[in-house]
Amino acid sequence: MEYMRGDCRASIGVFDSGVGGLTVAREIMRNLPKEHIVYFGDTARVPYGSKSKDTIVRYSQQIIHFLRTQEVKAIVIACNTASALALDEVEKELDIPIIGVIRPGARVAVTSTSNRRIGVIGTESTINSHMYKKLIYEQDPSITVYEKACPLFCPLVEEGWLKDPVTKEVARRYLDELLNKDIDSLILGCTHYPLLRSLIRELVGDSITLVNPAYETAKELGELLEREGLANPDMPEEPLTAEPYRFFVSDMADKFGSFANSILPYDIETIQKINIEEY
Amino acid sequence: MEYMRGDCRASIGVFDSGVGGLTVAREIMRNLPKEHIVYFGDTARVPYGSKSKDTIVRYSQQIIHFLRTQEVKAIVIACNTASALALDEVEKELDIPIIGVIRPGARVAVTSTSNRRIGVIGTESTINSHMYKKLIYEQDPSITVYEKACPLFCPLVEEGWLKDPVTKEVARRYLDELLNKDIDSLILGCTHYPLLRSLIRELVGDSITLVNPAYETAKELGELLEREGLANPDMPEEPLTAEPYRFFVSDMADKFGSFANSILPYDIETIQKINIEEY
């Protein structure tokens, strides 16, 4: 099957440093069931959250080159760190639409806060970029944003300790500082963190809105596709002529598969491993 | 200054996925003060402990290519994961000596155990390779080896929580299983773990010998250099004509520097960042 640039039947390219972006892919599957997805997880170089802008820009460029070989019509950076550090750079070079998760997350947080005090948690690199803070200020400079890096959350999620007392103690340590600031909204600024939602909910209580940028990103993607005339008009055919969701990784396809099967609403059958450094 | 292959005044190349290998470099500095060192930390692709053999072999090959451009006379893989997964592969292609940390660690554990029950802790990839177990069995098949992956130890060390109650609870969780096996020696099979030595000591008590392969590796390196006629006969000159220790990383030179300065017995002045994917 051949696709022209701008073909509305082409796939959406979605990428992340690893498995976390599957929480975004899941929202796209739920909210835009007509869209096909090509997912790439950079499991050979994961995590991104402790790395520099230069490195994350280079990695993102390689991944976008790879996704272009799959004839995607639009790209979603389903990783907060890469959205924070690389989106502005890679956007300039692209002739198809690309969106990250930070702008949608910032937008919904602005509409959700009543007392204009918002907390943001994320990786070290995301927090040090202050990207959520900047985008929130652009929309409403009267809002105060409190930021906190939570570097142990990703390893704890990958260890599967989602409801563990250790994870709760770590979360208490990280979140205490934000809770003392009387925030009423908390952005889960890393795609792994929605998997800790119920534990975080227990700690912060019911009065704080937890903002998951994944849902808003899927919504914003839908609007973008409609606006650009790129939305797929057809549901995937039955019997399927092509797999609607395809998965690629740079390493450890098996481990990715079992993690993916615990997150996604269906079981992945094939995951292809590629050498991303060649792109 | 030009070096011939086999020049005893050339440097030792030492590499790791990041900062952990500095615990090995430190032992080489202490025990072989005449030797110059070129250290490389692969901070753009850290950690290695959750990645596959293929990937670790490819990364190790690139690093060795880079170290060869620095005219090293011998190479130390100061990373348990790369020693476990890549040493056998890269050794075949090399015409200078190369050693890892696992063989020395296994050797000293065999001499240290009285009841022939040894525990090994390490990253997921190191433990899944069963390399310590294999090398110990080769020396003494009557020894029983109990292995346990501790994937949260590295992130906890990098977060600086070396004596934290959270780290102690995580360690208790990981080590309980081994302690129930009545081991009398425990190999710290990741170069980060010596930084948790005092916390681990508190948990395991005084009757268990903690084996740190770093010290044995420096000793084995010294013997190897003597045997091959490669030991540097001269102390570094004062005033120095060349820096005796040089540091390279693939990312985040500043962060590496502050970590290094907390581990090494002197302050590093310059750290050069290189693009390791080009090698």
Side-chain angles (χ1 to χ4, degrees), chain A residues 43-47 50-52 54-55 59 62 124 151 159 164 166 169 173-174 251-252 255 273 277, chain B residues 43-47 50-52 54-55 59 62 124 151 159 164 166 169 173-174 251-252 255 277:
Chain A
T43 44
R45 303 185 294 198
V46 69
S50 53
K51 289 161 194 169
S52 72
D54 281 4
T55 295
Y59 289 175
Q62 288 172 333
E124 248 182 301
E159 182 69 329
D164 195 281
V166 163
E169 175 53 30
R173 203 83 70 83
Y174 286 143
D251 200 15
M252 302 293 271
K255 201 175 155 194
K273 183 177 149 184
E277 291 178 12
Chain B
T43 44
R45 304 185 294 198
V46 71
S50 53
K51 290 163 192 166
S52 72
D54 281 3
T55 295
Y59 290 175
Q62 288 172 332
E124 249 181 301
E159 183 68 330
D164 195 280
V166 164
E169 176 53 29
R173 203 82 70 83
Y174 285 145
D251 200 16
M252 302 292 272
K255 201 175 155 196
E277 290 178 14

Side-chain angles (χ1 to χ4, degrees), chain A residues 6 8 73-74 95-97 221-231:
Chain A
C8 59
K73 65 182 174 186
D95 58 354
I96 57 172
L221 173 67
E223 290 160 7
L224 172 82
L225 295 177
E226 288 297 340
R227 201 166 59 237
E228 304 271 338
L230 287 171

Side-chain angles (χ1 to χ4, degrees), chain A residues 80 101-102 105-106 120 126 130-136 187 189 213:
Chain A
N80 282 268
V101 289
I102 295 201
V120 182
T126 299
H130 305 296
M131 196 52 87
Y132 275 107
K133 199 175 212 170
K134 282 180 207 157
L135 293 178
I136 290 170
I187 300 175

Side-chain angles (χ1 to χ4, degrees), chain A residues 245-258:
Chain A
Y245 306 134
R246 287 176 297 143
F247 296 86
F248 296 84
V249 292
S250 46
D251 200 15
M252 302 293 271
D254 291 349
K255 201 175 155 194
F256 179 91
S258 34

Side-chain angles (χ1 to χ4, degrees), chain B residues 45-278:
Chain B
R45 304 185 294 198
V46 71
Y48 283 5
S50 53
K51 290 163 192 166
S52 72
K53 183 178 170 80
D54 281 3
T55 295
I56 302 306
V57 168
R58 194 171 70 247
Y59 290 175
S60 300
Q61 284 165 336
Q62 288 172 332
I63 296 168
I64 289 169
H65 290 159
F66 163 69
L67 289 173
R68 295 305 296 263
T69 67
Q70 304 298 306
E71 309 287 353
V72 296
K73 64 183 175 186
I75 291 175
V76 176
I77 307 184
C79 169
N80 281 268
T81 304
S83 300
L85 303 181
L87 177 58
D88 288 351
E89 292 294 321
V90 298
E91 200 170 24
K92 294 181 220 158
E93 302 158 1
L94 266 184
D95 57 353
I96 57 171
I98 183 166
I99 62 169
V101 289
I102 295 200
R103 195 174 292 274
R107 188 171 304 144
V108 67
V110 169
T111 61
S112 113
T113 184
S114 305
N115 71 359
R116 296 202 295 281
R117 303 169 78 84
I118 297 174
V120 182
I121 53 177
T123 65
E124 249 181 301
S125 300
T126 298
I127 294 304
N128 291 342
S129 78
H130 305 296
M131 197 52 89
Y132 274 108
K133 200 175 211 170
K134 282 179 206 158
L135 293 178
I136 289 170
Y137 282 178
E138 267 177 37
Q139 291 171 64
D140 184 344
S142 77
I143 292 175
T144 310
V145 178
Y146 301 95
E147 302 165 296
K148 180 71 184 172
C150 304
L152 288 168
F153 275 177
C154 287
L156 285 163
V157 168
E158 305 219 342
E159 183 68 330
W161 292 13
L162 303 183
K163 297 183 176 180
D164 195 280
V166 164
T167 310
K168 197 160 178 182
E169 176 53 29
V170 172
R172 193 190 317 276
R173 203 82 70 83
Y174 285 145
L175 297 177
D176 256 3
E177 195 181 311
L178 293 179
L179 295 178
N180 289 334
K181 303 294 186 192
D182 188 32
I183 55 168
D184 73 352
S185 301
L186 177 64
I187 300 175
L188 307 178
C190 168
T191 52
H192 280 79
Y193 298 178
L195 303 171
L196 297 175
R197 173 187 275 275
S198 62
L199 182 142
I200 292 173
R201 168 62 69 207
E202 274 181 56
L203 280 173
V204 303
D206 289 333
S207 58
I208 292 182
T209 305
L210 298 181
V211 176
N212 174 3
Y215 172 72
E216 285 302 312
T217 302
K219 218 176 111 192
E220 185 162 320
L221 174 66
E223 290 160 7
L224 172 82
L225 296 176
E226 289 297 340
R227 201 167 58 236
E228 304 270 336
L230 286 172
N232 193 343
D234 308 323
M235 283 300 278
E237 293 163 38
E238 291 285 359
L240 294 167
T241 50
E243 257 191 277
Y245 306 133
R246 287 175 298 141
F247 296 85
F248 296 85
V249 293
S250 46
D251 200 16
M252 302 292 272
D254 291 350
K255 201 175 155 196
F256 179 90
S258 32
F259 205 102
N261 290 341
S262 73
I263 292 183
L264 295 179
Y266 78 108
D267 275 0
I268 296 182
E269 280 169 25
T270 52
I271 301 160
Q272 236 176 293
K273 183 177 147 183
I274 60 160
N275 183 355
I276 192 64
E277 290 178 14
E278 285 170 3

